[in-house]
Amino acid sequence: MTVPNPAPRSAAPQGQPMQQAPAQPYVPPVAPTQPTTPRPPMPKADAHRARLAGGIGGGIAWLGLGISQAAILLLALPFVVSAVIFGVGFALSEGGPSATGGVWPQLGDWLGSAGGIAVIAAIPLGVVVWLVGLWISARMLRRAGVHRPVGVTWAGFGIAAAATIVLGSLGSITIPAFGGLPFAGGPNLDFDPSDTGWGPQGWSGDPGDFDPGAIDPGLLERIADPGQLVALAGPWVALGSLASLVVPIVLSVFAWWWMAHALRAPAQPEAGATT
């Protein structure tokens, strides 16, 4: 007695191999995509408020950075000049202790004075002004109803800073110091070469007769006086810092507007629309 095969296969003719159906390639499932809603154009009022926030808030922020930058330059100037004159003192002493070793005590005294403390305190003060400017910008944008005011503020400042660095690498804007620094106007300094009391004793003005050993170390120490250096260089550093803020503030106006346009709110779905 034979039992029938429950799943009979199609018998192939004798002598020929059985053919199998070709395998189908595997196609991964595709996740359903939702159609993106185009963003509406930014209102003119938001664009105006974004530019205003970039000019006011961004301008205050850049002013804070300018204060810190000027304070750092004024603080570094006495250190650099004192280090150079201290090194020159070794050449004047001919192998002994530096003849201008008094530059470091007077630098330490200046750092503890009211002027030195004011210059040091101006560095964190500028950082605080910078943060206040960014806070004012975000506040102005939030009150105007601009979408993502904090994101617009930080992104706009970052783009303005990057553009400023790029433009600064292409060329710098400097203020020419006509006539040089007014050293001759100092109360204790006199750099008039025609005055016989300025240079080394017995020097006729001929470079061949110049004797470095005849230089008065006290004169060099007076040149390195931090109080006089800061007083003389302060106005020029302040003017240069203010002039360097023009380009970043102009760039901030456009950067704030660009970021407000890029981060504007999407379109609201219509009532009764199904997802």
Side-chain angles (χ1 to χ4, degrees):
M1 181 176 180
T2 60
V3 179
N5 188 0
R9 298 181 180 179
S10 58
Q14 295 183 357
Q16 296 183 2
M18 182 179 296
Q19 298 180 356
Q20 297 180 355
Q24 296 294 333
Y26 173 74
V27 179
V30 179
T33 58
Q34 297 180 356
T36 58
T37 304
R39 295 184 179 185
M42 184 172 59
K44 293 183 178 180
D46 292 354
H48 174 71
R49 186 54 63 94
R51 291 191 292 266
L52 191 63
I56 297 178
I60 295 175
W62 285 108
L63 178 61
L65 293 183
I67 293 174
S68 297
Q69 178 183 0
I72 292 174
L73 291 176
L74 292 178
L75 185 62
L77 179 63
F79 281 92
V80 174
V81 176
S82 297
V84 172
I85 292 183
F86 183 75
V88 173
F90 285 106
L92 299 179
S93 61
E94 298 180 355
S98 177
T100 56
V103 295
W104 296 122
Q106 71 179 3
L107 179 59
D109 295 339
W110 175 78
L111 291 176
S113 64
I117 294 175
V119 173
I120 296 174
I123 299 176
L125 176 63
V127 176
V128 172
V129 174
W130 169 61
L131 295 176
V132 170
L134 297 181
W135 177 81
I136 292 176
S137 170
R139 187 74 176 177
M140 293 176 61
L141 295 175
R142 183 177 289 108
R143 293 189 62 180
V146 178
H147 187 59
R148 299 181 62 181
V150 178
V152 171
T153 297
W154 283 99
F157 181 82
I159 292 177
T164 302
I165 294 174
V166 172
L167 293 179
S169 63
L170 299 178
S172 60
I173 301 176
T174 58
I175 299 179
F178 298 103
L181 294 178
F183 286 113
N188 298 324
L189 298 178
D190 185 8
F191 292 95
D192 187 4
S194 61
D195 189 357
T196 56
W198 176 80
Q201 299 295 329
W203 183 43
S204 61
D206 186 4
D209 297 338
F210 180 73
D211 183 11
I215 298 179
D216 183 12
L219 175 63
L220 296 180
E221 292 181 357
R222 291 196 300 271
I223 294 175
D225 184 10
Q228 292 190 5
L229 287 176
V230 173
L232 293 174
W236 301 97
V237 173
L239 290 176
S241 299
L242 290 177
S244 64
L245 298 180
V246 176
V247 174
I249 292 176
V250 173
L251 293 175
S252 297
V253 173
F254 291 96
W256 258 254
W257 168 81
W258 183 18
M259 286 296 98
H261 178 77
L263 301 177
R264 66 189 186 276
Q268 297 295 334
E270 298 179 0
T274 57
T275 58

